[in-house]
Amino acid sequence: MEKYAEIYRRTLLDDVMPFWLRHGMDAQHGGIITALDRDGSILDTDKSMWFQGRAAWMFGTLYRTIEPRPEWLEAARSCVEFIRHHGEAADGKLYFTVTREGKPLRMRRYVYSESFAAIANAVYANIASDERAKADAIRYFETYLRYSFEPGVMSPKFEGETRPAKGIGALMIGITTAQELRENLGDVKISGATCTEWIDRWIDEISRDFLKRDLEVLLETVSPEGQLLDHFDGRTINPGHAIEAAWFILHEGRLRGDQRKIDLGLTILDWMWERGWDTEYGGLFYFRDVHNRPVQEYWHDMKFWWPHNEATIATLLAWKLTGEERWKNRHRLVHDWSFAHFPDPEFGEWFGYLHRDGSPSVQLKGNMWKGPFHLPRMLWYCLRLLEE
Amino acid sequence: MEKYAEIYRRTLLDDVMPFWLRHGMDAQHGGIITALDRDGSILDTDKSMWFQGRAAWMFGTLYRTIEPRPEWLEAARSCVEFIRHHGEAADGKLYFTVTREGKPLRMRRYVYSESFAAIANAVYANIASDERAKADAIRYFETYLRYSFEPGVMSPKFEGETRPAKGIGALMIGITTAQELRENLGDVKISGATCTEWIDRWIDEISRDFLKRDLEVLLETVSPEGQLLDHFDGRTINPGHAIEAAWFILHEGRLRGDQRKIDLGLTILDWMWERGWDTEYGGLFYFRDVHNRPVQEYWHDMKFWWPHNEATIATLLAWKLTGEERWKNRHRLVHDWSFAHFPDPEFGEWFGYLHRDGSPSVQLKGNMWKGPFHLPRMLWYCLRLLEE
């Protein structure tokens, strides 16, 4: 365990965070640019609103939990300020992308910019004793709840009448967002329920409607009553996503001393590891079909960095909680495969997108979906777990 | 050339069209199901509205130009009828997908369902002397024109003010749609211009705004005035798409005896072949960056069936038009690579999605984007060209 702690600490503090601080932070306009090439040079100056929030949360969390380095506080402040000045459309909803200067480029239907802005503001309120940040964190979470769970608020992707469906994403991101708000602001009441009450509600819904015990699977999309939809969308499972949900639940069970939650998290992790792990080349597949039929997504067998980050956390947490050898072995498997294939030996940080066999497909370090989040969160979470 | 004609004829008539007739046609509800597994079994009963139009066009065109087989007329009729009964939303816009029975599932912003319904109805009007089909063909093309070219009609993907842009897709599909309407209905006047006038206008716009002579490239997305947008979207080029545009232009130049158009088509084909051909593994890359920087699409180096179909047509047409050895060689290259990697030796038809090295990624035969269109169109077009 000491060997792992040393690797995670060194990679986090000497490699990954310095890469983004050096190449990503925008001294001119504030905030962070994540579309960086292998060597850190800018590929696209457009800014992801997801990443203003995610990066602020990561920098703020390191400041809060590792040590109070001024450059981390400043980076968190810069991203939070960028959201304040350039994030919101007239109706208060946050953009998906804006230009380097902050001019609006793209608004999307869903509300993940809001969830990431909520956790960013929550930790920033905590470390900077900033009252506006606290109010913004709560306001963004309220927006997240309204768009995600009030019928008719989010403009629908599908015609609603014919085949109503719900996704696991809103529940999962809801859980981790509420966990971070509680961690930084206390167990505040938001839209009629405390963070803990929201978390319990969503974990129950995942267990009731998305977990299929007969098929040994966690589904991504089901009917409103939790039925399997026997179409491409309903059959497509995402092992990395499910494993991420598993460790959010394990984290909650551990914090609360709730064995039922721990058992649920271990079950999901166990089944979805079996579904996702590529026994031929190693690594985790991106998509699978619940009946092992072909999926519609033609790049389904690629190995992305983030499912490996989530599986590294989940297996370590399972090992820590149970002491069982099989979790230790799986942690070693995913750790070793990840560190053998993702890191860039020349310029540091990790490649994000590998072919099935582990060779890089694109060598960029970031874009609108990859930046300082899954990888440093894994390094930070595992480090803290090992140092307890 | 005789060898190629024999391969194309046999593959078209004894393999590809029988596969879709046998497995795709829905005897119960009409229309075609394209989400088929390797062996033709159904993966998803949902129906693509694109493919009701594309399949009807293909069946109708074979009936019109190869021989009047009753099963082809019946298949075309079935798909056209399905569009009539289940295609349109209340405002006349066509859905993207509906259920097997025809209940609405998904509406999208763009209007390619309409362009494919237009060519389907045009050829069906021709072969069945159906007046309603003729009126529908014109009406769908009017809808296509309105949504594609009248500012403000299509709901925007990006915030319009900050970085206005236009794509080549609407022009390209406009050209081929107008060509098919003219072929079947005569050079009718639609929304103020004849088909030929529309075609000339769009070819001029492609040449003026999307072709960059200094960079030797055809761009996919430019500013309204034709400037390169130095961001992911503006730099991402699609060699297969550009090569498809090239042969639409070569076809027009040949039909009209217009050497300027032929030269334009050859130039695009030459540059985009150089950009797209993978000299290491063979085959055509899906996306490239105009400056050879990393693209955002992580599956950019996959080999899809359709760019190879388009390149097979374009190189054969270039060879026929010029008699030059280099086009003959390139046609042989893409023909040989395609027939070595895409066909399914066990159940017939072609796999659609290969890894860079030519191994299949998914083994399905169809989905909402793959069905009886690019492959049989290539086989049919090349066969006709070789038999002239």
Side-chain angles (χ1 to χ4, degrees):
Chain A
M1 288 209 179
E2 260 172 50
K3 184 198 74 178
Y4 287 125
E6 176 52 28
I7 292 171
Y8 297 145
R9 172 180 287 279
R10 204 178 54 227
T11 309
L12 178 67
L13 301 182
D14 301 341
D15 175 0
V16 173
M17 296 318 290
F19 182 93
W20 294 104
L21 270 177
R22 189 178 313 126
H23 302 294
M25 300 312 299
D26 184 355
Q28 202 181 343
H29 298 278
I32 191 167
I33 294 169
T34 51
L36 303 180
D37 205 348
R38 181 177 178 185
D39 62 359
S41 60
I42 294 174
L43 281 171
D44 194 331
T45 52
D46 292 344
K47 284 174 180 153
S48 152
M49 205 49 67
W50 282 25
F51 267 101
Q52 306 312 308
R54 285 172 150 192
W57 173 82
M58 192 72 248
F59 283 117
T61 297
L62 294 178
Y63 182 91
R64 179 174 72 83
T65 61
I66 304 286
E67 61 186 47
R69 295 192 189 176
E71 68 266 32
W72 289 341
L73 181 62
E74 169 53 23
R77 188 203 56 75
S78 181
C79 292
V80 165
E81 290 281 341
F82 196 87
I83 299 171
R84 285 183 184 175
H85 292 128
H86 309 295
E88 293 186 20
D91 60 1
K93 198 167 178 305
L94 291 173
Y95 291 109
F96 178 68
T97 46
V98 300
T99 65
R100 181 171 191 171
E101 300 78 20
K103 289 194 197 131
L105 279 173
R106 190 168 182 198
M107 176 61 82
R108 299 191 78 163
R109 304 160 41 253
Y110 51 72
V111 273
Y112 295 123
S113 291
E114 285 75 359
S115 66
F116 300 130
I119 61 174
N121 277 280
V123 72
Y124 189 70
N126 188 344
I127 61 177
S129 305
D130 186 308
E131 281 301 313
R132 164 152 182 200
K134 183 179 175 183
D136 281 350
I138 291 170
R139 185 166 57 89
Y140 289 132
F141 192 56
E142 287 167 346
T143 304
Y144 180 82
L145 294 170
R146 197 167 67 251
Y147 276 84
S148 300
F149 302 110
E150 277 182 34
V153 177
M154 191 184 295
S155 57
K157 186 169 176 181
F158 294 93
E159 306 294 307
E161 304 290 306
T162 306
R163 188 185 301 147
K166 64 181 181 184
I168 200 170
L171 307 177
M172 273 178 61
I173 301 297
I175 292 168
T176 185
T177 306
Q179 286 172 336
E180 285 303 311
L181 261 59
R182 183 181 59 192
E183 180 74 19
N184 285 289
L185 308 178
D187 198 9
V188 288
K189 200 164 181 168
I190 301 178
S191 301
T194 64
C195 292
T196 299
E197 287 165 352
W198 281 116
I199 291 165
D200 285 350
R201 197 179 294 184
W202 291 324
I203 291 176
D204 286 347
E205 187 172 344
I206 287 174
S207 174
R208 188 186 68 227
D209 291 346
F210 291 87
L211 190 72
K212 297 297 156 203
R213 291 168 203 280
D214 51 337
L215 298 169
E216 302 200 345
V217 75
L218 188 73
L219 298 174
E220 287 287 311
T221 306
V222 293
S223 81
E225 301 77 30
Q227 300 298 305
L228 174 70
L229 300 166
D230 195 9
H231 296 274
F232 279 129
D233 284 352
R235 289 200 313 267
T236 301
I237 56 176
N238 184 328
H241 208 220
I243 287 170
E244 188 179 12
W247 81 253
F248 294 163
I249 296 169
L250 288 175
H251 177 88
E252 189 68 16
R254 185 163 182 258
L255 193 76
R256 308 259 298 276
D258 182 337
Q259 190 59 41
R260 220 184 106 256
K261 286 189 173 65
I262 292 171
D263 290 341
L264 174 65
L266 292 172
T267 298
I268 295 172
L269 176 56
D270 195 24
W271 291 347
M272 298 311 284
W273 175 282
E274 287 293 336
R275 295 264 185 180
W277 188 259
D278 180 354
T279 52
E280 191 174 346
Y281 290 96
L284 288 159
F285 289 117
Y286 200 93
F287 287 122
R288 304 294 281 168
D289 179 276
V290 70
H291 299 316
N292 293 314
R293 306 192 75 187
V295 293
Q296 178 148 262
E297 277 72 14
Y298 31 80
W299 47 273
H300 65 112
D301 65 0
M302 289 184 71
K303 309 287 168 64
F304 281 32
W305 86 106
W306 70 261
H308 297 79
N309 297 155
E310 303 313 320
T312 303
I313 295 177
T315 50
L316 186 65
L317 198 44
W319 178 19
K320 185 108 182 179
L321 281 162
T322 65
E324 288 174 18
E325 196 79 3
R326 63 181 185 135
W327 297 120
K328 180 179 164 185
N329 291 339
R330 284 174 172 178
H331 175 261
R332 196 184 56 237
L333 262 180
V334 68
H335 172 97
D336 288 351
W337 199 89
S338 299
F339 278 83
H341 292 92
F342 288 106
D344 177 359
E346 196 170 344
F347 296 100
E349 241 273 341
W350 284 21
F351 299 126
Y353 306 92
L354 312 181
H355 299 117
R356 181 177 176 190
D357 66 7
S359 61
S361 169
V362 275
Q363 300 203 318
L364 47 70
K365 292 293 161 53
N367 53 32
M368 303 305 149
W369 293 275
K370 184 175 184 292
F373 186 64
H374 288 283
L375 172 57
R377 181 174 72 169
M378 177 274 279
L379 299 166
W380 162 78
Y381 193 96
C382 291
L383 176 64
R384 299 259 298 166
L385 203 57
L386 291 166
E387 287 191 337
E388 271 174 7
Chain B
M1 287 212 181
E2 261 172 49
K3 183 198 74 176
Y4 287 125
E6 177 49 28
I7 293 170
Y8 297 145
R9 171 180 288 279
R10 203 178 56 228
T11 309
L12 179 67
L13 301 183
D14 302 341
D15 175 2
V16 173
M17 297 317 291
F19 182 92
W20 294 103
L21 269 178
R22 187 177 316 125
H23 302 295
M25 300 313 299
D26 184 355
Q28 201 181 344
H29 298 279
I32 190 167
I33 294 170
T34 51
L36 302 181
D37 204 348
R38 181 177 178 184
D39 62 0
S41 60
I42 294 174
L43 281 170
D44 194 332
T45 51
D46 292 344
K47 284 176 179 152
S48 152
M49 205 48 67
W50 282 26
F51 267 102
Q52 306 311 311
R54 286 173 150 190
W57 173 82
M58 192 73 249
F59 284 116
T61 297
L62 294 179
Y63 182 91
R64 179 174 72 83
T65 60
I66 304 287
E67 62 187 45
R69 295 192 189 178
E71 68 265 33
W72 288 343
L73 180 63
E74 169 52 24
R77 188 203 58 74
S78 180
C79 294
V80 164
E81 291 280 342
F82 196 88
I83 300 171
R84 284 184 186 177
H85 293 127
H86 309 294
E88 293 186 19
D91 61 0
K93 198 167 177 307
L94 290 173
Y95 291 110
F96 178 67
T97 45
V98 299
T99 65
R100 181 171 190 171
E101 301 78 21
K103 289 194 198 130
L105 280 172
R106 190 167 181 197
M107 175 62 79
R108 300 192 77 162
R109 305 159 41 252
Y110 51 71
V111 273
Y112 295 122
S113 291
E114 285 75 0
S115 66
F116 300 129
I119 61 173
N121 278 280
V123 72
Y124 188 70
N126 188 344
I127 60 177
S129 304
D130 186 307
E131 280 303 310
R132 164 151 181 202
K134 183 179 175 184
D136 281 352
I138 290 170
R139 185 166 58 88
Y140 289 132
F141 192 56
E142 286 167 347
T143 304
Y144 180 82
L145 294 170
R146 197 167 68 250
Y147 276 85
S148 300
F149 302 111
E150 277 182 34
V153 178
M154 191 184 295
S155 57
K157 185 169 176 182
F158 294 94
E159 305 293 309
E161 305 289 307
T162 306
R163 188 184 300 148
K166 64 181 181 184
I168 201 170
L171 307 176
M172 272 178 62
I173 301 297
I175 291 169
T176 185
T177 306
Q179 286 172 335
E180 284 303 312
L181 262 60
R182 183 182 58 193
E183 181 74 18
N184 285 289
L185 310 177
D187 199 10
V188 288
K189 200 164 181 169
I190 301 178
S191 300
T194 64
C195 292
T196 299
E197 286 165 353
W198 280 116
I199 291 165
D200 285 350
R201 198 179 293 183
W202 291 324
I203 291 177
D204 286 348
E205 188 172 343
I206 287 174
S207 173
R208 188 186 68 226
D209 291 346
F210 292 86
L211 190 72
K212 297 297 156 203
R213 290 168 204 280
D214 51 337
L215 298 168
E216 303 198 345
V217 74
L218 188 74
L219 298 174
E220 286 287 311
T221 306
V222 294
S223 81
E225 301 77 30
Q227 300 298 305
L228 174 70
L229 300 166
D230 195 9
H231 296 275
F232 279 127
D233 284 352
R235 290 202 310 267
T236 301
I237 56 175
N238 184 327
H241 208 220
I243 287 170
E244 187 179 11
W247 82 253
F248 294 163
I249 296 169
L250 288 175
H251 177 88
E252 190 67 17
R254 184 161 182 260
L255 194 77
R256 308 259 297 276
D258 181 337
Q259 191 60 41
R260 219 183 107 256
K261 288 188 172 65
I262 291 171
D263 291 341
L264 174 65
L266 292 172
T267 298
I268 295 172
L269 176 57
D270 195 25
W271 291 347
M272 298 311 285
W273 175 282
E274 288 294 336
R275 295 261 184 184
W277 188 258
D278 180 354
T279 52
E280 193 174 344
Y281 290 94
L284 288 159
F285 289 118
Y286 199 93
F287 287 122
R288 305 292 283 167
D289 180 275
V290 70
H291 299 317
N292 292 314
R293 305 192 76 186
V295 292
Q296 178 149 262
E297 277 73 14
Y298 31 79
W299 47 272
H300 66 111
D301 65 0
M302 290 183 70
K303 309 288 167 64
F304 281 32
W305 85 107
W306 70 262
H308 297 79
N309 296 155
E310 304 312 320
T312 303
I313 296 177
T315 50
L316 185 65
L317 197 45
W319 177 19
K320 184 107 182 179
L321 281 161
T322 64
E324 287 175 19
E325 195 79 3
R326 64 181 184 134
W327 297 120
K328 180 179 163 184
N329 291 338
R330 284 174 171 179
H331 175 261
R332 195 184 57 237
L333 262 179
V334 68
H335 172 97
D336 288 351
W337 199 90
S338 299
F339 279 84
H341 293 90
F342 287 106
D344 177 358
E346 196 169 343
F347 297 99
E349 239 276 339
W350 283 22
F351 299 126
Y353 306 92
L354 311 181
H355 300 116
R356 182 179 173 187
D357 66 8
S359 61
S361 170
V362 274
Q363 299 203 317
L364 48 69
K365 292 292 161 54
N367 54 30
M368 304 304 149
W369 294 275
K370 183 174 184 294
F373 186 64
H374 288 282
L375 172 57
R377 181 173 74 169
M378 177 275 279
L379 299 167
W380 161 78
Y381 192 96
C382 290
L383 176 63
R384 299 259 298 164
L385 202 58
L386 290 165
E387 286 191 336
E388 272 175 6

